[in-house]
Structures are given as structure tokens and as C-alpha cells.
Amino acid sequence: MRPFHVHLCRFLKGFMDNMQYAEELLREFLVFRGFTNTLQSFEKELPTDIGRNFQVDKILDLVFSVYVPNYQADKLIALLNFFKQRFSSSSETVFISTLSKLEVSILRYYIVNALQSAKHEKVVEFFQANGSYLLQKREDWTPWFAIPYIKNPSLDPQFRVYFSKEWFDALHLSFRNFLSEVFNGTHILKVISTEKNTVKYLKDGIKQLNNKLSQLQALLETKEAEILYLQSLAPSDREASILKEINSISDLSSEASSKDDGVSSRVKDFREPVNDSLHIGEKITTTNCGESSSSTGVLDKSTVAKSSSMGGSVGQSPSEHEKSSNVLQMAHTENSIDVLGEEEFPEVKVDFQETFLGHTSRISRCRFSASGMNIASASVDGTVRIWTYDSSTPTSRNATIYCGAEIMSLDWECRSDRLLLIGTADGGIKAWNVDAKRVVCDLSTTTGFPSVLDLKCSPVEPIFVSAAASRWNGFHKLDKAGFASLTVWNMKTWKAMTVLPLGEDPPAITSLCFNHNGKILAASAADGMIHMFDMSAGLQITGWPAHDTAVSSLLFGPDETSIFSLGSDGKIFEWSLQNQGRVLWSRDCTRYCFPDSLKICRHEIALDSNGKRLLVTSGSVRSPIYQVQGHTLGLRTLPHSGAITSVDWHPTLPIFITGSADHSVRVTSII
């Protein structure tokens, strides 16, 4: 008896572990899709499942007590098709055949039930909706299309048997036995265990590939640094040395390919940007089209020729550029803190650029409107300007707004593109109507939380969320911003609806973002945490430690299966929302986002409409653009004369904006 007892215990333990694994998968799916009401019902009903086995009676009740009497034929057919899709292997042919026969009987019972209830119109609707589906089956359904027009079908010899109680009882029992046999605990255990083992195998494989890829990336970075050094050599020596280094990388890539072909193919792709970065000394040609002034500022328009320029700035000779590329140190000026080692990224290929010169102090925020037609830019002197970059766009919305305090946050209302929300360092929240050209609401946070660090409008509902902090000493002291307050506001009544719970004495919330349907709100904190809120219930549903320092910027990935975060230490992570805590992609941009840059700007990230390029506020005169998808290392923007302090992407086009400490805002369209 002892061996049997041990075997039984192991079986039960494996069964419970696998059922728990399946429940966790379901929770992740519901959170990811934003089905928060379903999640709450699931959590409420789960403790009532004592045996944790398949509930045959509940499925029978769903079919015969809900779908059939309520004439929900579409749901009934979908459920039966769902069962059929569970069988895919050749060993389950018998199950598929049996279920097909049961499906015919259940659908005929649906028709009989409707006729017995004198619902002839439901039978007609059923055949109109599913007639072609039924005729494709082998069973002879043709006579059944006439049944709604037979006076007493229960007396007809062809249909009489289906109206008898004995036939229904036999159908009910057969369906019960079938479900009990197919979905018994052993079968479920086998399916879940197989799925679990497959996932584990894939995770192990991915982990090994990531380790190999990390080693190759480290090797590649070393070789790139050597190439930068070689660029300063004499031309003849440089060509020979570069060829030698590239051959070395190729040999190492070939050696890695003998271990794993998939990883080696990535190494070959990584070589392309290395070659591109060798174009030293090429010049960018610009054509000045003049300056035009308006009530909101000056646009300096310059169209950059479509060339393959990869290095060198305007008016700089090749020798000057080669000299500057050797200086690997920080250059501090009044308005910029530049890392000169960023020449390893090639410059973007520019279609056109326009520069807005209407501000008189450092830019703190700049944002495209939801349609991309208008731009709002703010400066630390408390001025917000609304303007357009396209000459074909009407300038009727152009305006200047004086707020009287440093602008901390900007966000456009997503649904109508008519309202701009402005958050200030003195606790003010203004709502500007671009059509009426006036402030339609002037709100204030509580006196205990005077600094509005971020604002975010829901993409669906007429609400927005404000993140306010109890203290403010600058972005370089985010970890000392005091406590947080997250308030949900109604944009129709302009009143506070609720305060989202963060626990006792929570660290300041630094950045906010909604998912596509507005059901999930992500919030990053000064202690490095990321929090996720269910907006329907007004509750926090999950959270995890993301950085060792304050998180300065946060945004959802393009398909919302991941979320990007940028720490004040310059580290970027892409986090999986399906496997919480797992890093899908990362970059260390401390060479650009170094701590001293926080004294003049907030580090932030912006993702293009395709989800492939990540633009970073660097505190340098250039900003890096990382390739999130693909294997190229990235690009860099054309330089401002001061540090770049804010960035944003156009919602649909390959156009980005950069605000700078030189008081300018630049719109760049790339090829």
C-alpha cells in the first residue's frame, strides 16, 4: 500500500500544481485584456471550487438551461465548436466523431424546444443564420428546413421521436457521459502538464539564447570602441586596421554560429550599423527658406537634403570632426551637458526640419496633439505656446498661455483634440480650449501636494489622472519628492472623482500612461516601482520593482503586451505584462542620461507609431533613437545648440519633436 500511497500523493500534488498554473495563466490574460469585472468574478468564484475538477453539471446547465431556452443559438454553436477545437491529434478521432453526432442532436433539440414553446420565428431565425453551416454537414438537414411550416410536427413520423421525453433524456445522459470522459482530471492534467513543460522548455532555450546574445553584444561594443579609436589614425593605417577588426568580428561571429545559427545571424545584422558609422567627414547640406513670424513665435524652416550623412555637423570639416570624436568626456556648458562619445550612432536621415523660436527660456515639455496637427510646448518661465509646423494647417488655434509658474506636465485630450491640460509646480491644473482660446477650468490640487508631476487623459472616458507630489526640489532629486497623490478628475464636471490607493506614505508618482481602452493605468514611482491600476474598480491590481533609482518615464508598448520604463540612472527596460518581472529588452544609456543632466531636464522616452524606435531625452545636444525591433543599434538626432530637454513622436508619421535648453523646439521628419 505504501508505494500506491506515494504514487497517489505525487499525482495529486502534480494535479494541484498544474491547476494552479492554469489559474495564473487565466489571471494574466484577464489583466492583459482589461477584463477586470471578469477577473473579480473569477476571484470570487474560485474559492467555491472545492474539488478543482471539471464541473459537468455546470456545462449541462449552460447548454440546456441557458442557451437553449433563451434561444442563444450563436453562443451554443460557438461552445460546441470550442469543444471540437480541443481535439487535434489523430488519437482523438473517436471523440471528434462522437461530438459531431451530439452537436447534431443538440441543435435539433434547440429547434424542437422552440416549436414546443410556440416560437416559430426563432426556428426561422435559426435557419436563416445557420442554414449554410448545417447544409455543409453530412447529416441530412434538408427536411428540417420545412419543420417551421408543418402544422403538427410532433405527430409527423419523421420528427415524432425528437419530441419524446425519452429521446431528450438519452441525449442529456449521452452528453453528460461524453463530457465526463473527455474532461476528466487525468486528461486536463495531461494537457496542462504538456503546455507547462513546453513553456519551460522554450523559456530555457530563450534564456540560453539571451545569454549568448548578451555576450556577443558586449563583444560588439568592445569592437566598436576600438573602431572609434582607429578613426583617429592616419587614413592608410586606419583602413588596414579597420579591415583587420571587422575580420576579427566576422571570425568571432562564425565561431559563435557553430554553437547556434540563430544567434549568429543576429551578429551579422549587428555589423551593418558598425559599417555605417565609418562614414566620417560627410556634410549635411541645408537650404534656408527664410523666417516667418506670428503672434506665437518664429519658425525657422530648413529642409535637409536627402543624403546618406552619418557624421559631422553643419560647417565642420572632416579633420575637426575626427578631432572631436576622440574626446570621450563630458562637456558642461550653461545650457547643455553633452556626452561627446555618442558619435558611434549614425545621424538620422532627415526629410525636413522646422525650428520654432517663440520661447524665451528653457523648454520643459513639448507634445503633439492626438491628431498630430498641433504642438504644445512649455518653458520653465510658465509660458505655453500652441503652434503648427505644417503650412497647410490652419493657424487659428495658435496661442500663448501664461501660467505664472513652471510647467511640469502637458497632455492633450485624446478624443476631440480640443483640450490641453497643463500642470504647474504650484499645484495648478489648467484646461485650455484651443477653439475658444481660453481657460475653461482652473483647478488646484490639495495644499499638501503642490507639484503636478504628470497628467494623463483617458483615451476613452472623459476623465484624466493627476500625479502630484508633496515636495519638489528638481528632477535630480526625484527620490526626495515626498509623498504621492493620484487623483481621478471628471472632465465634464471638472471635479475630483476619486483618489487611487497607494498605501501609507507612498513615494511620489513620476509618470503615468493608459492602455488603449483606458481600463488600465500604469504609474511609475520615485522608489523605482511600477504600479498597475484597474480604473473600473479604482484599485491597484499589481506592481513590481523596476529600477534601483526613481523611474522618470513610462509608456506601454505598441501591442500592450509590454511596458517601457526609463530610470533616472539612464537604464531602459521593456517589461513583459504576460510574465510579470521579465525583461524583454534593455539598454544602458547612462552615456547620454547621466545624473547631472537631471538638473536641467526630466529624462523621458517616446515611442514611434510603429513601436520600433525609442527616442530618449538625453540632457545632451543630441538624443539617441534606439531600435527596439531589429538588430541595428540606433541613430542620433541632429544637434541643438543646447541640451535636449523634452521629446515626443507624431502619433502616425515618422516625425518627432525635440525641445531644448536653447529655447527652441524642433520638428524633424526622417526618412
Side-chain angles (χ1 to χ4, degrees):
M1 295 296 293
R2 182 178 178 82
F4 174 77
H5 174 71
V6 173
H7 178 73
L8 179 61
C9 289
R10 289 178 179 174
F11 172 80
L12 292 175
K13 183 180 184 301
F15 178 80
M16 298 300 289
D17 289 344
N18 286 312
M19 291 301 290
Q20 185 176 3
Y21 171 75
E23 291 165 5
E24 290 300 321
L25 287 179
L26 181 57
R27 285 191 183 93
E28 287 184 9
F29 174 76
L30 295 176
V31 170
F32 165 65
R33 291 296 302 276
F35 297 151
T36 53
N37 292 332
T38 306
L39 177 62
Q40 294 178 44
S41 300
F42 173 68
E43 297 287 0
K44 182 178 179 181
E45 193 171 359
L46 195 60
T48 64
D49 182 18
I50 299 175
R52 290 200 172 189
N53 53 4
F54 182 69
Q55 303 292 327
V56 178
D57 290 335
K58 291 188 177 181
I59 300 299
L60 292 172
D61 289 341
L62 181 65
V63 172
F64 295 110
S65 300
V66 178
Y67 289 164
V68 171
N70 291 322
Y71 310 108
Q72 298 175 350
D74 53 341
K75 294 182 179 180
L76 177 61
I77 293 175
L79 177 64
L80 295 173
N81 286 334
F82 169 77
F83 285 145
K84 286 191 289 186
Q85 291 170 3
R86 298 308 94 196
F87 309 117
S88 56
S89 64
S90 58
S91 61
E92 295 175 325
T93 306
V94 176
F95 287 148
I96 298 175
S97 175
T98 304
L99 182 57
S100 297
K101 294 177 181 178
L102 286 170
E103 179 189 22
V104 172
S105 297
I106 292 172
L107 294 180
R108 288 178 176 176
Y109 173 70
Y110 175 92
I111 296 170
V112 169
N113 178 77
L115 293 173
Q116 289 177 330
S117 303
K119 297 288 186 180
H120 291 73
E121 70 279 4
K122 295 295 181 182
V123 179
V124 175
E125 290 177 5
F126 174 80
F127 283 122
Q128 288 176 343
N130 305 287
S132 58
Y133 170 75
L134 297 175
L135 290 175
Q136 292 174 1
K137 295 182 167 296
R138 294 181 180 179
E139 292 75 19
D140 187 8
W141 275 96
T142 305
W144 285 81
F145 283 86
I147 200 171
Y149 310 104
I150 299 176
K151 188 173 183 180
N152 292 311
S154 60
L155 301 179
D156 190 289
Q158 189 172 5
F159 305 110
R160 182 168 50 201
V161 65
Y162 300 104
F163 288 83
S164 64
K165 185 177 183 301
E166 291 78 11
W167 179 82
F168 171 73
D169 291 342
L171 170 62
H172 194 278
L173 180 60
S174 298
F175 195 40
R176 169 191 283 276
N177 292 338
F178 173 80
L179 294 175
S180 299
E181 174 65 23
V182 172
F183 295 98
N184 61 66
T186 305
H187 184 82
I188 291 294
L189 178 63
K190 178 181 177 182
V191 172
I192 297 176
S193 179
T194 302
E195 173 71 16
K196 187 176 179 181
N197 291 335
T198 302
V199 171
K200 184 178 183 300
Y201 174 78
L202 292 174
K203 285 183 177 179
D204 291 341
I206 292 172
K207 184 177 180 181
Q208 293 177 4
L209 290 174
N210 283 335
N211 290 336
K212 292 180 181 179
L213 184 58
S214 298
Q215 295 173 1
L216 292 170
Q217 284 178 331
L219 174 63
L220 186 61
E221 290 177 0
T222 302
K223 296 301 178 183
E224 286 175 344
E226 294 176 5
I227 290 173
L228 288 176
Y229 167 73
L230 293 171
Q231 290 171 357
S232 63
L233 300 177
S236 59
D237 295 337
R238 182 172 57 196
E239 290 178 5
S241 300
I242 287 176
L243 181 59
K244 179 180 178 181
E245 292 301 323
I246 292 178
N247 289 336
S248 174
I249 294 176
S250 178
D251 293 340
L252 289 169
S253 301
S254 301
E255 180 182 348
S257 67
S258 63
K259 299 180 180 180
D260 188 276
D261 293 338
V263 176
S264 67
S265 64
R266 297 188 180 188
V267 176
K268 294 174 183 176
D269 290 338
F270 273 130
R271 289 176 56 191
E272 295 179 7
V274 176
N275 294 334
D276 290 340
S277 66
L278 301 180
H279 295 280
I280 303 299
E282 297 181 8
K283 295 183 179 180
I284 297 175
T285 304
T286 61
T287 303
N288 293 327
C289 301
E291 297 180 351
S292 61
S293 61
S294 65
S295 62
T296 60
V298 179
L299 278 176
D300 178 19
K301 303 180 180 181
S302 50
T303 302
V304 180
K306 300 179 180 178
S307 65
S308 59
S309 302
M310 294 298 175
S313 57
V314 177
Q316 186 179 28
S317 67
S319 59
E320 290 173 340
H321 182 82
E322 290 172 4
K323 291 177 182 178
S324 66
S325 66
N326 293 328
V327 184
L328 301 177
Q329 61 182 2
M330 297 180 185
H332 297 265
T333 63
E334 180 180 356
N335 287 331
S336 69
I337 306 173
D338 193 8
V339 179
L340 299 179
E342 63 190 4
E343 278 79 357
E344 63 189 78
F345 279 5
E347 285 184 341
V348 294
K349 296 181 180 180
V350 177
D351 183 22
F352 71 84
Q353 275 192 337
E354 291 186 4
T355 303
F356 180 75
L357 303 174
H359 288 278
T360 58
S361 62
R362 185 173 73 245
I363 305 300
S364 58
R365 289 294 224 193
C366 53
R367 292 289 183 267
F368 277 106
S369 64
S371 66
M373 297 178 63
N374 297 99
I375 295 173
S377 54
S379 49
V380 294
D381 62 359
T383 303
V384 178
R385 294 184 180 270
I386 299 174
W387 49 282
T388 62
Y389 68 92
D390 189 348
S391 58
S392 63
T393 302
T395 60
S396 58
R397 290 183 167 185
N398 290 11
T400 302
I401 310 162
Y402 300 99
C403 299
E406 180 181 353
I407 309 300
M408 306 289 290
S409 50
L410 288 177
D411 196 43
W412 287 88
E413 193 256 345
C414 303
R415 298 173 304 139
S416 66
D417 212 21
R418 291 172 48 244
L419 293 175
L420 174 69
L421 297 181
I422 307 167
T424 61
D426 63 355
I429 301 175
K430 299 181 185 296
W432 176 267
N433 188 305
V434 294
D435 291 332
K437 284 195 171 184
R438 65 183 182 89
V439 174
V440 294
C441 188
D442 199 345
L443 306 172
S444 295
T445 59
T446 58
T447 55
F449 300 93
S451 298
V452 184
L453 297 188
D454 204 7
L455 296 168
K456 199 61 63 177
C457 293
S458 168
V460 178
E461 301 293 333
I463 62 172
F464 73 91
V465 180
S466 64
S470 60
R471 294 195 303 271
W472 183 244
N473 299 306
F475 292 111
H476 62 298
K477 295 182 179 179
L478 273 178
D479 56 340
K480 298 180 180 179
F483 304 131
S485 175
L486 272 183
T487 306
V488 183
W489 303 81
N490 188 308
M491 297 179 71
K492 291 184 176 179
T493 62
W494 299 108
K495 296 184 180 296
M497 297 171 57
T498 185
V499 176
L500 297 177
L502 286 167
E504 185 177 356
D505 297 337
I509 296 298
T510 57
S511 183
L512 303 170
C513 62
F514 277 101
N515 72 332
H516 73 286
N517 58 16
K519 292 186 177 181
I520 302 295
L521 175 74
S524 62
D527 62 351
M529 288 289 294
I530 293 178
H531 306 278
M532 306 289 281
F533 293 89
D534 171 14
M535 294 303 293
S536 300
L539 298 174
Q540 184 175 169
I541 53 178
T542 188
W544 66 92
H547 291 263
D548 295 330
T549 59
V551 184
S552 57
S553 188
L554 187 75
L555 52 85
F556 278 99
D559 56 2
E560 299 189 351
T561 60
S562 64
I563 195 165
F564 290 87
S565 63
L566 169 63
S568 58
D569 57 359
K571 294 180 180 178
I572 306 174
F573 295 111
E574 180 185 10
W575 301 93
S576 171
L577 294 180
Q578 297 173 326
N579 189 356
Q580 184 173 303
R582 180 188 172 207
V583 177
L584 301 176
W585 177 88
S586 65
R587 283 293 182 272
D588 187 347
C589 60
T590 51
R591 74 186 83 176
Y592 313 113
C593 302
F594 40 89
D596 285 348
S597 63
L598 288 169
K599 294 180 180 179
I600 58 172
C601 71
R602 177 196 309 210
H603 293 167
E604 62 180 0
I605 49 179
L607 197 64
D608 72 347
S609 58
N610 296 322
K612 296 181 179 180
R613 291 174 289 210
L614 193 72
L615 179 60
V616 184
T617 296
S618 62
S620 164
V621 296
R622 303 176 186 267
S623 279
I625 304 175
Y626 290 103
Q627 298 288 339
V628 179
Q629 299 180 12
H631 306 307
T632 55
L633 290 178
L635 303 168
R636 59 190 174 125
T637 65
L638 299 184
H640 279 264
S641 60
I644 293 176
T645 55
S646 185
V647 296
D648 194 24
W649 278 98
H650 191 284
T652 57
L653 301 175
I655 299 174
F656 61 83
I657 50 174
T658 50
S660 174
D662 63 9
H663 310 172
S664 71
V665 184
R666 180 177 294 163
V667 181
T668 304
S669 174
I670 61 177
I671 301 174

